[in-house]
Amino acid sequence: MLDWVIHAFQHYGYVVLFLSLLLELLALPLPGEILMSSAGLLVYQGKLSWLGSIAMGGLGASLGMTFAYTIGYKLGMPFVHKYGKYVHFGPSRLNKTSEWFSTYGNKLLAISYFIPGVRHFIGYFAGIVRIPFRSFALYAYTGAFLWVGVFITLGKLLGPKWKQYHHVLTRYMLVGVLILCVFAAAFFLIRRYRSQLVLKLQVWFEKGFNVFHSFGRVKFIVVVTAIVFLGVSLFTIGLIQDYLAQEFDTFDEVVRVIMASLTADISSIWAKPASYLVTLPAELIVCITILLWIVRKGKDKLLEIFFLGLTVVGGEVWGEVLTGFFHRLGSPSLRLGTYIVSDAGFPSEPTLSAIILYGYAGYMLFRHTTSVWLKTAILPIFIIILFWVGCNDFIYANQHPSDIVAGFSFGGVWISLQILLLEIFRMLRQTDQPFKLAHSKKRN
């Protein structure tokens, strides 16, 4: 069956791509992802159009999902009430699932295409619970073209090597989608049980506050900081060791192949200016700007200035220690496209410095601005800066992709810890003021 489909695909590419994705979204066992990657390979060979393939594949997936929605809509709840008991899906479970799906299921439509088994049935269920067609179409069609575009583009970029890396990339994407689902589930739980969680946090805070006063401020903060640092560091080191032993080499090679293909079509000169963002003059300018912003807008000026110095200087020391500890040799003889992999530091110091410095700057801007548009723009700009620096680090500094990811990871640990400690100290100063005032009145 698979061989026949692929053979037909070689002769009738657009038609087979359209029909196969349409039928797969009706729950037929067709190799949609393999066909999309094959279409990307034909695009790489100049036999198909990139935009044409995405358009036909996206239309096929959208139409298949629409047919599934229509069938589910026509069958409706009576069908599930009648036959759901045979698959342990009774009325009570159906009602709970329908309530959740009616509220959040339309958003799941956009990412369900990347989850095997889910994308084949979610269209039917969307129709059964009768999600409004306008909402269904918005998320389902967006997800369809995104899904098709990702796999066809990857097939185009990987070229003849797509078979070698197809399963690896599919696994990475599945892990990424599952992480998004976990975050979405956490958001749902927090939103639904917000009052109960706030009450629990208040109880924990009161207990912690009592422990703090009985144990001593400095010792308490040192112990908490040591526990957080040790726990996160051990977890990160263990994760990195696992990747180095099993996954990192494959990950590095896949990224290099993709980037080599991209830079063959698109000039990489745009990445070069990012190197100036992590130079000493640029870092001094950013630090001075943050300092002036704190002086003008900050509420706890001395505290925020102190943490500015601690974050930046301590981050440099943190990076040097990590680079020395995790240093590993690259493969100078490995040549892929235009890239020659040289000895590299693990983690990457430029990316580590970028997330620490610009992370603190972004946080200070967000913390002390009342402008809604500025608050909204901070996160996208921050992500663009990190992506820019990471691309430059890979293309021009010849760093391993895993080194760059580790730089972001370790830098994220450091900056998040500093912000957490800053806010703890800020809270403690505010809490101490009533005690000092009461003590002063007693003495008078």
Side-chain angles (χ1 to χ4, degrees), residues 209 212-213 217 425-438:
F209 187 75
F212 168 79
H213 276 283
R217 297 182 190 177
F425 275 101
R426 193 196 306 275
M427 179 183 62
L428 293 176
R429 289 186 63 179
Q430 294 173 355
T431 307
D432 277 347
Q433 289 177 0
F435 288 98
K436 291 180 179 179
L437 183 61

Side-chain angles (χ1 to χ4, degrees), residues 57 69 111 384:
Y69 171 86
I111 61 174
I384 290 171

Side-chain angles (χ1 to χ4, degrees), residues 232-233 235-237 239-240 243 248 318 322 346-348 351-353 355-356 386 401-417:
V232 176
S233 297
F235 174 79
T236 307
I237 291 169
L239 184 63
I240 290 174
Y243 274 123
F248 262 23
W318 171 237
L322 289 172
F346 183 87
S348 164
T351 53
L352 185 143
S353 299
I355 194 171
I356 290 174
L386 296 184
S402 54
D403 297 341
I404 295 169
V405 172
F408 289 139
S409 176
F410 279 110
V413 169
W414 180 259
I415 185 61
S416 61
L417 178 61

Side-chain angles (χ1 to χ4, degrees), residues 197-263:
L197 290 173
V198 169
L199 184 60
K200 289 280 187 183
L201 288 173
Q202 287 177 344
V203 172
W204 292 341
F205 173 77
E206 289 176 0
K207 291 181 179 179
F209 187 75
N210 292 332
V211 172
F212 168 79
H213 276 283
S214 63
F215 192 62
R217 297 182 190 177
V218 177
K219 291 183 179 179
F220 178 77
I221 293 174
V222 169
V223 169
V224 170
T225 305
I227 292 173
V228 172
F229 175 80
L230 183 61
V232 176
S233 297
L234 288 176
F235 174 79
T236 307
I237 291 169
L239 184 63
I240 290 174
Q241 288 175 338
D242 291 341
Y243 274 123
L244 287 173
Q246 302 174 14
E247 299 291 341
F248 262 23
D249 292 339
T250 303
F251 171 77
D252 290 343
E253 190 173 354
V254 169
V255 174
R256 290 190 195 104
V257 171
I258 292 175
M259 289 298 294
S261 180
L262 278 174
T263 52

Side-chain angles (χ1 to χ4, degrees), residues 149-331:
V150 165
F151 276 95
I152 290 179
T153 303
L154 285 174
K156 175 183 179 294
L157 294 175
L158 292 173
K161 295 188 176 182
W162 75 266
K163 290 183 180 179
Q164 181 180 351
Y165 299 124
H166 173 77
H167 295 294
V168 175
L169 288 170
T170 302
R171 185 166 66 249
Y172 286 153
M173 282 189 285
L174 181 58
V175 170
V177 169
L178 291 176
I179 291 173
L180 287 177
C181 290
V182 169
F183 277 109
F187 176 78
F188 167 74
L189 292 173
I190 291 172
R191 186 173 180 179
R192 182 164 185 174
Y193 302 104
R194 180 170 53 189
S195 58
Q196 294 93 322
L197 290 173
V198 169
L199 184 60
K200 289 280 187 183
L201 288 173
Q202 287 177 344
V203 172
W204 292 341
F205 173 77
E206 289 176 0
K207 291 181 179 179
F209 187 75
N210 292 332
V211 172
F212 168 79
H213 276 283
S214 63
F215 192 62
R217 297 182 190 177
V218 177
K219 291 183 179 179
F220 178 77
I221 293 174
V222 169
V223 169
V224 170
T225 305
I227 292 173
V228 172
F229 175 80
L230 183 61
V232 176
S233 297
L234 288 176
F235 174 79
T236 307
I237 291 169
L239 184 63
I240 290 174
Q241 288 175 338
D242 291 341
Y243 274 123
L244 287 173
Q246 302 174 14
E247 299 291 341
F248 262 23
D249 292 339
T250 303
F251 171 77
D252 290 343
E253 190 173 354
V254 169
V255 174
R256 290 190 195 104
V257 171
I258 292 175
M259 289 298 294
S261 180
L262 278 174
T263 52
D265 299 327
I266 303 172
S267 173
S268 60
I269 194 66
W270 56 269
K272 185 63 175 176
S275 61
Y276 298 109
L277 295 177
V278 288
T279 59
L280 182 59
E283 292 180 348
L284 287 175
I285 291 172
V286 174
C287 287
I288 293 171
T289 304
I290 301 173
L291 182 62
L292 294 175
W293 178 260
I294 292 173
V295 171
R296 183 180 177 185
K297 297 284 188 176
K299 295 180 180 179
D300 300 293
K301 295 179 173 58
L302 293 178
L303 185 65
E304 291 174 352
I305 292 172
F306 169 77
F307 269 94
L308 169 62
L310 179 63
T311 300
V312 175
V313 177
E316 292 295 327
V317 176
W318 171 237
E320 290 292 336
V321 171
L322 289 172
T323 303
F325 186 77
F326 291 109
H327 177 70
R328 64 172 183 170
L329 293 177
S331 302

